[in-house]
Amino acid sequence: MPQLSVIISTYNQPKWLEKVLIGYQQQSFKDFEIIIADDGSSKETEKVVTDFVSRSDLKITHCWQADHGFQKTKILNKAIVASASDYLLFTDGDCIPRNDFVEKHFKLRQPKSFLSGGYFKLPKTISESIAEDNIISQDCFKSDWLLSHGLKKTFKLNKLTSKGFKEKFLNNVTPTKATWDGMNASGWKTDIVAVNGFDERMEYGGEDRELGERLMNSGIKPIQIRYSAICLHLFHERSYKNEPTIAKNKAIRKETKTQKRKWTDLGIKKS
């Protein structure tokens, strides 16, 4: 049994997914499996996964469901069931992990808690510029390389450059509240199953944070590691984002928060 399961959600982003998988090939911590939670992608994504598996020593399971609109929560619940480890790390198929990404989550995990990591958003031009050798060398995580490719210098670059004391200090003083963010979050499988996983009523917009609120209602402590566990968030359009679904999700989240709900009847198990 692997010590950690990485669950990667994806939908029709095969070029980005390949870069992400190359990132996992470079990890310093090796004892993990990958579950690709695929919400109905075309055959092109399947080919990327099959080709990568043929030349990689990573253990990868492609968990696919037919495309019936945005059903990310449903495929994530299937991936949770398919996972073999007792500790789960969730991320997206457009987030390239730094080579210590899995190691940070594994070493910093604690009982009765979940970890909330960080990500660095890239514009389209830089996202497209990242090649396999840039991921293998880790140049794409270096500020000099990013600045030379047109990135503007901001305080956020500290996410990529902070180590040791500075990394811990910024984790503690960051004004951002630790929440369950599907791009970079991890927790114990028993805790996630105890709240029945993701609420499958949820569409795009806060579906991951609603899970986090049920975990916190159950006494699971959120821990901020956004300057420790880092991934590069590649550019993508958000054509599926719309106000009615966001309003619906906000109402569900508000109900979860005000009623201090610890369980959803429409999760891994259905009532």
Side-chain angles (χ1 to χ4, degrees):
M1 186 177 73
Q3 294 195 68
L4 186 145
S5 297
V6 179
I7 296 178
I8 305 174
S9 62
T10 191
Y11 175 70
N12 282 334
Q13 291 182 303
K15 291 181 180 179
W16 278 186
L17 180 61
E18 184 173 19
K19 296 183 183 190
V20 169
L21 292 176
I22 293 168
Y24 283 99
Q25 187 70 62
Q26 316 311 313
Q27 293 300 299
S28 54
F29 180 85
K30 303 293 186 183
D31 194 4
F32 65 93
E33 66 171 349
I34 291 176
I35 311 290
I36 298 176
D38 188 343
D39 188 18
S41 297
S42 66
K43 289 289 184 179
E44 191 177 353
T45 294
E46 182 183 8
K47 185 177 186 304
V48 165
V49 175
T50 302
D51 289 349
F52 193 86
V53 168
S54 69
R55 66 179 193 272
S56 169
D57 58 358
L58 294 175
K59 182 182 179 183
I60 300 176
T61 300
H62 188 190
C63 190
W64 181 90
Q65 67 185 10
D67 186 359
H68 295 299
F70 187 91
Q71 296 184 104
K72 181 179 177 181
T73 49
K74 185 176 181 179
I75 194 63
L76 285 174
N77 282 338
K78 290 179 180 178
I80 292 167
V81 173
S83 64
S85 172
D86 59 1
Y87 196 76
L88 310 181
L89 167 53
F90 291 78
T91 185
D92 284 347
D94 54 10
C95 293
I96 303 175
R98 197 169 64 187
N99 61 5
D100 61 350
F101 183 71
V102 178
E103 181 180 359
K104 291 287 188 179
H105 275 278
F106 184 76
K107 287 186 173 180
L108 295 173
R109 75 199 194 289
Q110 297 179 30
K112 287 296 178 184
S113 68
F114 70 83
L115 302 177
S116 177
Y119 57 89
F120 192 93
K121 285 188 176 182
L122 296 178
K124 186 176 182 180
T125 52
I126 300 179
S127 298
E128 293 172 341
S129 297
I130 297 175
E132 181 173 359
D133 62 330
N134 304 133
I135 302 171
I136 294 172
S137 66
Q138 296 289 285
D139 284 345
C140 57
F141 289 92
K142 297 174 183 175
S143 56
D144 289 347
W145 187 91
L146 291 166
L147 293 171
S148 71
H149 283 73
L151 189 73
K152 293 182 180 179
K153 192 170 185 178
T154 67
F155 181 82
K156 290 181 180 180
L157 276 171
N158 281 292
K159 287 183 182 178
L160 304 178
T161 60
S162 298
K163 299 287 183 181
F165 173 79
K166 185 178 180 182
E167 166 193 329
K168 294 177 182 178
F169 174 76
L170 289 174
N171 281 334
N172 290 328
V173 302
T174 179
T176 304
K177 182 181 177 182
T179 58
W180 186 280
D181 191 321
M183 284 181 281
N184 190 344
S186 65
W188 298 93
K189 185 174 181 176
T190 51
D191 294 336
I192 295 166
V193 171
V195 299
N196 206 20
F198 291 86
D199 189 319
E200 294 183 9
R201 294 176 297 168
M202 301 285 283
E203 299 178 62
Y204 176 80
E207 69 283 350
D208 42 5
R209 287 172 172 78
E210 195 276 337
L211 167 65
E213 284 160 2
R214 277 184 283 118
L215 287 169
M216 288 186 281
N217 291 343
S218 301
I220 308 302
K221 178 185 175 182
I223 299 175
Q224 184 74 267
I225 59 166
R226 67 197 303 252
Y227 287 89
S228 300
I230 305 299
C231 57
L232 293 175
H233 185 202
L234 303 174
F235 174 86
H236 68 86
E237 300 287 352
R238 299 181 184 273
S239 56
Y240 43 80
K241 181 177 180 179
N242 64 77
E243 292 306 318
T245 59
I246 290 175
K248 170 189 169 184
N249 284 6
K250 282 183 176 178
I252 295 172
R253 286 178 62 193
K254 183 178 180 181
E255 184 181 81
T256 297
K257 193 169 184 177
T258 56
Q259 296 183 10
K260 299 188 182 301
R261 286 172 42 206
K262 303 175 183 178
W263 178 268
T264 173
D265 289 331
L266 287 165
I268 297 171
K269 295 180 180 179
K270 310 293 189 298
S271 296

